[in-house]
Amino acid sequence: MNRLAVYCGSATPEDPRYVALAREVGEILARRGIGVVYGGGKLGLMGALADGALTAGGEVIGVIPDAMVKAEVANLACTELRIVKTMHERKAAFTDLSDGFLTLPGGVGTMDELWEAVSWAQLGYHEKPVGLLNAFGFYDGLIEFNAHMVEVGFVRPVHQGIIIAENELGALLDKMAAYRPHTPIFRMKAEEL
């Protein structure tokens, strides 16, 4: 994996562990030679992620809608800052520029990006690993809900492994690097659906 799209919050939670985690993830990715593609912001976990990677000498590509640039939240220190018009263009750029997706704690926007990466993998728009860093148990409920969707039958068994979840970054990156794509819906026959 040469680059990962990293999804995370633009907020700064009161608990300092989250910002410290984002900074550490940026540093570790840079030390491993993995570039960061992210939302291009300078605030919250996003800013900490970029700062960590840049401080460690890593590549950081920010992809940000022009409305956010006008709101003065763009991180001008990025190795490269790509300004797009829409969120759809932003997410397409994340997919085009990265070899996989890594999700850190975040809010609604982070969930939107995670679920789109999962949905696109399920359909067959990409065959890249989708990692979920469950630091501090942040995603315990989401992991449980994903298992519930499989159990009920809304997620096919062949697709239940799309989300690769781990509590520790090293283990998660190892599993992502070893990821073998599943059979996407676009290649399945009607009777398999």
Side-chain angles (χ1 to χ4, degrees), residues 48-85:
L49 169 78
D51 288 347
L54 290 166
T55 299
E59 174 192 47
V60 177
I61 300 173
V63 184
I64 190 166
D66 59 358
M68 300 305 285
V69 174
K70 291 173 186 165
E72 299 182 356
V73 298
N75 186 349
L76 302 179
C78 291
T79 309
E80 179 182 347
L81 186 64
R82 294 188 180 201
I83 300 170
V84 296
K85 295 224 178 281

PDB file of all heavy atoms in Angstrom, residues 48-85:
ATOM      1  N   ALA A  48      -4.545  16.960  12.983  1.00  0.00           N
ATOM      2  CA  ALA A  48      -3.540  16.202  13.740  1.00  0.00           C
ATOM      3  C   ALA A  48      -2.935  15.098  12.887  1.00  0.00           C
ATOM      4  O   ALA A  48      -1.722  14.864  12.916  1.00  0.00           O
ATOM      5  CB  ALA A  48      -4.165  15.629  15.005  1.00  0.00           C
ATOM      6  N   LEU A  49      -3.772  14.402  12.117  1.00  0.00           N
ATOM      7  CA  LEU A  49      -3.297  13.352  11.213  1.00  0.00           C
ATOM      8  C   LEU A  49      -2.275  13.922  10.234  1.00  0.00           C
ATOM      9  O   LEU A  49      -1.174  13.384  10.077  1.00  0.00           O
ATOM     10  CB  LEU A  49      -4.481  12.753  10.445  1.00  0.00           C
ATOM     11  CG  LEU A  49      -4.128  11.842   9.276  1.00  0.00           C
ATOM     12  CD1 LEU A  49      -3.713  10.467   9.780  1.00  0.00           C
ATOM     13  CD2 LEU A  49      -5.302  11.739   8.317  1.00  0.00           C
ATOM     14  N   ALA A  50      -2.641  15.017   9.574  1.00  0.00           N
ATOM     15  CA  ALA A  50      -1.754  15.631   8.583  1.00  0.00           C
ATOM     16  C   ALA A  50      -0.469  16.121   9.242  1.00  0.00           C
ATOM     17  O   ALA A  50       0.627  15.894   8.719  1.00  0.00           O
ATOM     18  CB  ALA A  50      -2.471  16.778   7.888  1.00  0.00           C
ATOM     19  N   ASP A  51      -0.591  16.770  10.407  1.00  0.00           N
ATOM     20  CA  ASP A  51       0.599  17.264  11.104  1.00  0.00           C
ATOM     21  C   ASP A  51       1.549  16.126  11.451  1.00  0.00           C
ATOM     22  O   ASP A  51       2.758  16.239  11.278  1.00  0.00           O
ATOM     23  CB  ASP A  51       0.213  18.011  12.384  1.00  0.00           C
ATOM     24  CG  ASP A  51      -0.426  19.359  12.118  1.00  0.00           C
ATOM     25  OD1 ASP A  51      -0.358  19.849  10.976  1.00  0.00           O
ATOM     26  OD2 ASP A  51      -1.013  19.926  13.071  1.00  0.00           O
ATOM     27  N   GLY A  52       0.984  15.023  11.948  1.00  0.00           N
ATOM     28  CA  GLY A  52       1.819  13.876  12.305  1.00  0.00           C
ATOM     29  C   GLY A  52       2.568  13.325  11.110  1.00  0.00           C
ATOM     30  O   GLY A  52       3.771  13.052  11.186  1.00  0.00           O
ATOM     31  N   ALA A  53       1.862  13.181   9.989  1.00  0.00           N
ATOM     32  CA  ALA A  53       2.504  12.640   8.788  1.00  0.00           C
ATOM     33  C   ALA A  53       3.548  13.605   8.233  1.00  0.00           C
ATOM     34  O   ALA A  53       4.653  13.188   7.861  1.00  0.00           O
ATOM     35  CB  ALA A  53       1.442  12.329   7.726  1.00  0.00           C
ATOM     36  N   LEU A  54       3.218  14.876   8.182  1.00  0.00           N
ATOM     37  CA  LEU A  54       4.153  15.865   7.637  1.00  0.00           C
ATOM     38  C   LEU A  54       5.395  16.001   8.511  1.00  0.00           C
ATOM     39  O   LEU A  54       6.517  16.084   7.998  1.00  0.00           O
ATOM     40  CB  LEU A  54       3.462  17.223   7.481  1.00  0.00           C
ATOM     41  CG  LEU A  54       2.399  17.293   6.376  1.00  0.00           C
ATOM     42  CD1 LEU A  54       1.549  18.549   6.519  1.00  0.00           C
ATOM     43  CD2 LEU A  54       3.050  17.226   4.996  1.00  0.00           C
ATOM     44  N   THR A  55       5.205  15.998   9.820  1.00  0.00           N
ATOM     45  CA  THR A  55       6.336  16.100  10.744  1.00  0.00           C
ATOM     46  C   THR A  55       7.295  14.930  10.572  1.00  0.00           C
ATOM     47  O   THR A  55       8.509  15.089  10.703  1.00  0.00           O
ATOM     48  CB  THR A  55       5.829  16.162  12.202  1.00  0.00           C
ATOM     49  OG1 THR A  55       5.012  17.327  12.340  1.00  0.00           O
ATOM     50  CG2 THR A  55       6.962  16.223  13.200  1.00  0.00           C
ATOM     51  N   ALA A  56       6.746  13.750  10.239  1.00  0.00           N
ATOM     52  CA  ALA A  56       7.572  12.555  10.036  1.00  0.00           C
ATOM     53  C   ALA A  56       8.078  12.434   8.603  1.00  0.00           C
ATOM     54  O   ALA A  56       8.653  11.417   8.220  1.00  0.00           O
ATOM     55  CB  ALA A  56       6.775  11.310  10.426  1.00  0.00           C
ATOM     56  N   GLY A  57       7.846  13.469   7.796  1.00  0.00           N
ATOM     57  CA  GLY A  57       8.363  13.483   6.424  1.00  0.00           C
ATOM     58  C   GLY A  57       7.506  12.763   5.416  1.00  0.00           C
ATOM     59  O   GLY A  57       7.973  12.451   4.315  1.00  0.00           O
ATOM     60  N   GLY A  58       6.239  12.519   5.737  1.00  0.00           N
ATOM     61  CA  GLY A  58       5.358  11.782   4.841  1.00  0.00           C
ATOM     62  C   GLY A  58       4.656  12.649   3.814  1.00  0.00           C
ATOM     63  O   GLY A  58       4.628  13.879   3.917  1.00  0.00           O
ATOM     64  N   GLU A  59       4.099  11.980   2.828  1.00  0.00           N
ATOM     65  CA  GLU A  59       3.302  12.633   1.792  1.00  0.00           C
ATOM     66  C   GLU A  59       1.883  12.799   2.321  1.00  0.00           C
ATOM     67  O   GLU A  59       1.295  11.855   2.857  1.00  0.00           O
ATOM     68  CB  GLU A  59       3.275  11.772   0.526  1.00  0.00           C
ATOM     69  CG  GLU A  59       2.345  12.309  -0.549  1.00  0.00           C
ATOM     70  CD  GLU A  59       2.103  11.313  -1.674  1.00  0.00           C
ATOM     71  OE1 GLU A  59       1.829  10.129  -1.383  1.00  0.00           O
ATOM     72  OE2 GLU A  59       2.170  11.734  -2.838  1.00  0.00           O
ATOM     73  N   VAL A  60       1.319  13.984   2.147  1.00  0.00           N
ATOM     74  CA  VAL A  60      -0.051  14.262   2.571  1.00  0.00           C
ATOM     75  C   VAL A  60      -0.774  14.986   1.442  1.00  0.00           C
ATOM     76  O   VAL A  60      -0.415  16.111   1.088  1.00  0.00           O
ATOM     77  CB  VAL A  60      -0.098  15.120   3.857  1.00  0.00           C
ATOM     78  CG1 VAL A  60      -1.548  15.454   4.223  1.00  0.00           C
ATOM     79  CG2 VAL A  60       0.597  14.398   5.010  1.00  0.00           C
ATOM     80  N   ILE A  61      -1.778  14.314   0.891  1.00  0.00           N
ATOM     81  CA  ILE A  61      -2.604  14.914  -0.156  1.00  0.00           C
ATOM     82  C   ILE A  61      -3.965  15.220   0.448  1.00  0.00           C
ATOM     83  O   ILE A  61      -4.681  14.318   0.885  1.00  0.00           O
ATOM     84  CB  ILE A  61      -2.764  13.977  -1.364  1.00  0.00           C
ATOM     85  CG1 ILE A  61      -1.396  13.658  -1.975  1.00  0.00           C
ATOM     86  CG2 ILE A  61      -3.695  14.602  -2.409  1.00  0.00           C
ATOM     87  CD1 ILE A  61      -1.444  12.606  -3.072  1.00  0.00           C
ATOM     88  N   GLY A  62      -4.302  16.496   0.490  1.00  0.00           N
ATOM     89  CA  GLY A  62      -5.614  16.912   0.972  1.00  0.00           C
ATOM     90  C   GLY A  62      -6.556  17.098  -0.196  1.00  0.00           C
ATOM     91  O   GLY A  62      -6.163  17.639  -1.235  1.00  0.00           O
ATOM     92  N   VAL A  63      -7.792  16.624  -0.031  1.00  0.00           N
ATOM     93  CA  VAL A  63      -8.822  16.805  -1.058  1.00  0.00           C
ATOM     94  C   VAL A  63      -9.994  17.492  -0.362  1.00  0.00           C
ATOM     95  O   VAL A  63     -10.629  16.907   0.511  1.00  0.00           O
ATOM     96  CB  VAL A  63      -9.265  15.469  -1.677  1.00  0.00           C
ATOM     97  CG1 VAL A  63     -10.267  15.721  -2.801  1.00  0.00           C
ATOM     98  CG2 VAL A  63      -8.064  14.672  -2.192  1.00  0.00           C
ATOM     99  N   ILE A  64     -10.260  18.720  -0.751  1.00  0.00           N
ATOM    100  CA  ILE A  64     -11.220  19.535  -0.003  1.00  0.00           C
ATOM    101  C   ILE A  64     -12.151  20.288  -0.953  1.00  0.00           C
ATOM    102  O   ILE A  64     -11.716  20.802  -1.984  1.00  0.00           O
ATOM    103  CB  ILE A  64     -10.455  20.507   0.932  1.00  0.00           C
ATOM    104  CG1 ILE A  64     -11.397  21.210   1.909  1.00  0.00           C
ATOM    105  CG2 ILE A  64      -9.612  21.492   0.146  1.00  0.00           C
ATOM    106  CD1 ILE A  64     -10.661  21.898   3.051  1.00  0.00           C
ATOM    107  N   PRO A  65     -13.442  20.346  -0.619  1.00  0.00           N
ATOM    108  CA  PRO A  65     -14.368  21.143  -1.435  1.00  0.00           C
ATOM    109  C   PRO A  65     -14.055  22.631  -1.317  1.00  0.00           C
ATOM    110  O   PRO A  65     -13.634  23.104  -0.248  1.00  0.00           O
ATOM    111  CB  PRO A  65     -15.744  20.837  -0.823  1.00  0.00           C
ATOM    112  CG  PRO A  65     -15.562  19.600  -0.028  1.00  0.00           C
ATOM    113  CD  PRO A  65     -14.142  19.605   0.432  1.00  0.00           C
ATOM    114  N   ASP A  66     -14.267  23.372  -2.398  1.00  0.00           N
ATOM    115  CA  ASP A  66     -13.942  24.798  -2.396  1.00  0.00           C
ATOM    116  C   ASP A  66     -14.700  25.571  -1.324  1.00  0.00           C
ATOM    117  O   ASP A  66     -14.188  26.552  -0.786  1.00  0.00           O
ATOM    118  CB  ASP A  66     -14.117  25.426  -3.783  1.00  0.00           C
ATOM    119  CG  ASP A  66     -15.523  25.300  -4.352  1.00  0.00           C
ATOM    120  OD1 ASP A  66     -16.403  24.694  -3.698  1.00  0.00           O
ATOM    121  OD2 ASP A  66     -15.741  25.819  -5.457  1.00  0.00           O
ATOM    122  N   ALA A  67     -15.889  25.128  -0.949  1.00  0.00           N
ATOM    123  CA  ALA A  67     -16.644  25.804   0.111  1.00  0.00           C
ATOM    124  C   ALA A  67     -15.887  25.767   1.430  1.00  0.00           C
ATOM    125  O   ALA A  67     -15.946  26.724   2.218  1.00  0.00           O
ATOM    126  CB  ALA A  67     -18.017  25.165   0.278  1.00  0.00           C
ATOM    127  N   MET A  68     -15.153  24.674   1.688  1.00  0.00           N
ATOM    128  CA  MET A  68     -14.373  24.564   2.923  1.00  0.00           C
ATOM    129  C   MET A  68     -13.111  25.427   2.849  1.00  0.00           C
ATOM    130  O   MET A  68     -12.643  25.929   3.861  1.00  0.00           O
ATOM    131  CB  MET A  68     -14.015  23.104   3.204  1.00  0.00           C
ATOM    132  CG  MET A  68     -15.229  22.195   3.371  1.00  0.00           C
ATOM    133  SD  MET A  68     -16.370  22.773   4.635  1.00  0.00           S
ATOM    134  CE  MET A  68     -15.480  22.342   6.103  1.00  0.00           C
ATOM    135  N   VAL A  69     -12.584  25.600   1.653  1.00  0.00           N
ATOM    136  CA  VAL A  69     -11.429  26.488   1.480  1.00  0.00           C
ATOM    137  C   VAL A  69     -11.873  27.917   1.803  1.00  0.00           C
ATOM    138  O   VAL A  69     -11.182  28.649   2.520  1.00  0.00           O
ATOM    139  CB  VAL A  69     -10.853  26.391   0.052  1.00  0.00           C
ATOM    140  CG1 VAL A  69      -9.744  27.422  -0.161  1.00  0.00           C
ATOM    141  CG2 VAL A  69     -10.346  24.987  -0.220  1.00  0.00           C
ATOM    142  N   LYS A  70     -13.053  28.286   1.307  1.00  0.00           N
ATOM    143  CA  LYS A  70     -13.577  29.634   1.554  1.00  0.00           C
ATOM    144  C   LYS A  70     -13.861  29.857   3.043  1.00  0.00           C
ATOM    145  O   LYS A  70     -13.802  30.978   3.525  1.00  0.00           O
ATOM    146  CB  LYS A  70     -14.835  29.859   0.729  1.00  0.00           C
ATOM    147  CG  LYS A  70     -14.549  29.949  -0.763  1.00  0.00           C
ATOM    148  CD  LYS A  70     -15.810  29.997  -1.583  1.00  0.00           C
ATOM    149  CE  LYS A  70     -15.462  29.948  -3.060  1.00  0.00           C
ATOM    150  NZ  LYS A  70     -16.613  29.648  -3.904  1.00  0.00           N
ATOM    151  N   ALA A  71     -14.164  28.776   3.769  1.00  0.00           N
ATOM    152  CA  ALA A  71     -14.406  28.875   5.208  1.00  0.00           C
ATOM    153  C   ALA A  71     -13.097  28.909   6.002  1.00  0.00           C
ATOM    154  O   ALA A  71     -13.117  28.936   7.226  1.00  0.00           O
ATOM    155  CB  ALA A  71     -15.277  27.707   5.673  1.00  0.00           C
ATOM    156  N   GLU A  72     -11.979  28.885   5.289  1.00  0.00           N
ATOM    157  CA  GLU A  72     -10.642  28.995   5.865  1.00  0.00           C
ATOM    158  C   GLU A  72     -10.269  27.829   6.787  1.00  0.00           C
ATOM    159  O   GLU A  72      -9.576  28.017   7.778  1.00  0.00           O
ATOM    160  CB  GLU A  72     -10.476  30.339   6.594  1.00  0.00           C
ATOM    161  CG  GLU A  72     -10.652  31.521   5.676  1.00  0.00           C
ATOM    162  CD  GLU A  72     -10.454  32.859   6.364  1.00  0.00           C
ATOM    163  OE1 GLU A  72     -10.245  32.907   7.591  1.00  0.00           O
ATOM    164  OE2 GLU A  72     -10.515  33.879   5.650  1.00  0.00           O
ATOM    165  N   VAL A  73     -10.707  26.637   6.427  1.00  0.00           N
ATOM    166  CA  VAL A  73     -10.318  25.457   7.214  1.00  0.00           C
ATOM    167  C   VAL A  73      -9.344  24.557   6.458  1.00  0.00           C
ATOM    168  O   VAL A  73      -8.965  23.504   6.945  1.00  0.00           O
ATOM    169  CB  VAL A  73     -11.547  24.635   7.687  1.00  0.00           C
ATOM    170  CG1 VAL A  73     -12.425  25.469   8.590  1.00  0.00           C
ATOM    171  CG2 VAL A  73     -12.327  24.092   6.503  1.00  0.00           C
ATOM    172  N   ALA A  74      -8.934  24.962   5.251  1.00  0.00           N
ATOM    173  CA  ALA A  74      -8.012  24.144   4.453  1.00  0.00           C
ATOM    174  C   ALA A  74      -6.621  24.152   5.074  1.00  0.00           C
ATOM    175  O   ALA A  74      -6.154  25.160   5.592  1.00  0.00           O
ATOM    176  CB  ALA A  74      -7.940  24.659   3.020  1.00  0.00           C
ATOM    177  N   ASN A  75      -5.959  22.999   4.996  1.00  0.00           N
ATOM    178  CA  ASN A  75      -4.595  22.855   5.504  1.00  0.00           C
ATOM    179  C   ASN A  75      -3.632  23.160   4.357  1.00  0.00           C
ATOM    180  O   ASN A  75      -3.354  22.306   3.515  1.00  0.00           O
ATOM    181  CB  ASN A  75      -4.378  21.442   6.029  1.00  0.00           C
ATOM    182  CG  ASN A  75      -3.046  21.268   6.693  1.00  0.00           C
ATOM    183  OD1 ASN A  75      -2.168  22.128   6.599  1.00  0.00           O
ATOM    184  ND2 ASN A  75      -2.870  20.147   7.367  1.00  0.00           N
ATOM    185  N   LEU A  76      -3.099  24.366   4.344  1.00  0.00           N
ATOM    186  CA  LEU A  76      -2.211  24.801   3.264  1.00  0.00           C
ATOM    187  C   LEU A  76      -0.823  24.196   3.367  1.00  0.00           C
ATOM    188  O   LEU A  76      -0.001  24.368   2.466  1.00  0.00           O
ATOM    189  CB  LEU A  76      -2.140  26.329   3.236  1.00  0.00           C
ATOM    190  CG  LEU A  76      -3.489  27.040   3.066  1.00  0.00           C
ATOM    191  CD1 LEU A  76      -3.298  28.552   3.081  1.00  0.00           C
ATOM    192  CD2 LEU A  76      -4.214  26.589   1.802  1.00  0.00           C
ATOM    193  N   ALA A  77      -0.547  23.465   4.451  1.00  0.00           N
ATOM    194  CA  ALA A  77       0.770  22.837   4.635  1.00  0.00           C
ATOM    195  C   ALA A  77       0.865  21.475   3.943  1.00  0.00           C
ATOM    196  O   ALA A  77       1.944  20.870   3.938  1.00  0.00           O
ATOM    197  CB  ALA A  77       1.054  22.670   6.127  1.00  0.00           C
ATOM    198  N   CYS A  78      -0.227  20.987   3.372  1.00  0.00           N
ATOM    199  CA  CYS A  78      -0.211  19.669   2.707  1.00  0.00           C
ATOM    200  C   CYS A  78       0.849  19.621   1.614  1.00  0.00           C
ATOM    201  O   CYS A  78       1.167  20.635   0.995  1.00  0.00           O
ATOM    202  CB  CYS A  78      -1.571  19.370   2.073  1.00  0.00           C
ATOM    203  SG  CYS A  78      -2.891  19.090   3.240  1.00  0.00           S
ATOM    204  N   THR A  79       1.342  18.424   1.358  1.00  0.00           N
ATOM    205  CA  THR A  79       2.243  18.210   0.229  1.00  0.00           C
ATOM    206  C   THR A  79       1.554  18.660  -1.049  1.00  0.00           C
ATOM    207  O   THR A  79       2.166  19.274  -1.932  1.00  0.00           O
ATOM    208  CB  THR A  79       2.612  16.715   0.121  1.00  0.00           C
ATOM    209  OG1 THR A  79       3.055  16.252   1.386  1.00  0.00           O
ATOM    210  CG2 THR A  79       3.666  16.481  -0.927  1.00  0.00           C
ATOM    211  N   GLU A  80       0.267  18.330  -1.132  1.00  0.00           N
ATOM    212  CA  GLU A  80      -0.559  18.723  -2.277  1.00  0.00           C
ATOM    213  C   GLU A  80      -1.974  18.938  -1.767  1.00  0.00           C
ATOM    214  O   GLU A  80      -2.488  18.135  -0.991  1.00  0.00           O
ATOM    215  CB  GLU A  80      -0.546  17.611  -3.340  1.00  0.00           C
ATOM    216  CG  GLU A  80      -1.385  17.894  -4.549  1.00  0.00           C
ATOM    217  CD  GLU A  80      -1.381  16.743  -5.560  1.00  0.00           C
ATOM    218  OE1 GLU A  80      -0.543  15.830  -5.451  1.00  0.00           O
ATOM    219  OE2 GLU A  80      -2.244  16.772  -6.458  1.00  0.00           O
ATOM    220  N   LEU A  81      -2.614  20.013  -2.184  1.00  0.00           N
ATOM    221  CA  LEU A  81      -3.994  20.293  -1.807  1.00  0.00           C
ATOM    222  C   LEU A  81      -4.827  20.368  -3.073  1.00  0.00           C
ATOM    223  O   LEU A  81      -4.598  21.248  -3.913  1.00  0.00           O
ATOM    224  CB  LEU A  81      -4.090  21.598  -1.012  1.00  0.00           C
ATOM    225  CG  LEU A  81      -5.462  21.929  -0.430  1.00  0.00           C
ATOM    226  CD1 LEU A  81      -5.875  20.887   0.607  1.00  0.00           C
ATOM    227  CD2 LEU A  81      -5.464  23.319   0.188  1.00  0.00           C
ATOM    228  N   ARG A  82      -5.743  19.433  -3.206  1.00  0.00           N
ATOM    229  CA  ARG A  82      -6.629  19.407  -4.375  1.00  0.00           C
ATOM    230  C   ARG A  82      -7.971  19.989  -3.974  1.00  0.00           C
ATOM    231  O   ARG A  82      -8.610  19.507  -3.026  1.00  0.00           O
ATOM    232  CB  ARG A  82      -6.823  17.983  -4.886  1.00  0.00           C
ATOM    233  CG  ARG A  82      -5.554  17.385  -5.437  1.00  0.00           C
ATOM    234  CD  ARG A  82      -5.815  16.063  -6.092  1.00  0.00           C
ATOM    235  NE  ARG A  82      -4.570  15.511  -6.606  1.00  0.00           N
ATOM    236  CZ  ARG A  82      -4.516  14.594  -7.543  1.00  0.00           C
ATOM    237  NH1 ARG A  82      -5.625  14.103  -8.068  1.00  0.00           N
ATOM    238  NH2 ARG A  82      -3.350  14.135  -7.952  1.00  0.00           N
ATOM    239  N   ILE A  83      -8.401  20.985  -4.708  1.00  0.00           N
ATOM    240  CA  ILE A  83      -9.674  21.635  -4.419  1.00  0.00           C
ATOM    241  C   ILE A  83     -10.697  21.154  -5.435  1.00  0.00           C
ATOM    242  O   ILE A  83     -10.461  21.225  -6.647  1.00  0.00           O
ATOM    243  CB  ILE A  83      -9.518  23.166  -4.456  1.00  0.00           C
ATOM    244  CG1 ILE A  83      -8.480  23.592  -3.404  1.00  0.00           C
ATOM    245  CG2 ILE A  83     -10.858  23.849  -4.212  1.00  0.00           C
ATOM    246  CD1 ILE A  83      -8.047  25.028  -3.490  1.00  0.00           C
ATOM    247  N   VAL A  84     -11.810  20.621  -4.929  1.00  0.00           N
ATOM    248  CA  VAL A  84     -12.870  20.083  -5.781  1.00  0.00           C
ATOM    249  C   VAL A  84     -14.159  20.859  -5.517  1.00  0.00           C
ATOM    250  O   VAL A  84     -14.265  21.600  -4.541  1.00  0.00           O
ATOM    251  CB  VAL A  84     -13.074  18.574  -5.526  1.00  0.00           C
ATOM    252  CG1 VAL A  84     -11.827  17.775  -5.917  1.00  0.00           C
ATOM    253  CG2 VAL A  84     -13.435  18.296  -4.074  1.00  0.00           C
ATOM    254  N   LYS A  85     -15.135  20.655  -6.367  1.00  0.00           N
ATOM    255  CA  LYS A  85     -16.400  21.380  -6.224  1.00  0.00           C
ATOM    256  C   LYS A  85     -17.372  20.672  -5.265  1.00  0.00           C
ATOM    257  O   LYS A  85     -18.064  21.331  -4.508  1.00  0.00           O
ATOM    258  CB  LYS A  85     -17.050  21.563  -7.601  1.00  0.00           C
ATOM    259  CG  LYS A  85     -16.252  22.430  -8.536  1.00  0.00           C
ATOM    260  CD  LYS A  85     -17.142  23.404  -9.266  1.00  0.00           C
ATOM    261  CE  LYS A  85     -16.341  24.296 -10.165  1.00  0.00           C
ATOM    262  NZ  LYS A  85     -15.682  25.379  -9.489  1.00  0.00           N
TER     263      LYS A  85
END
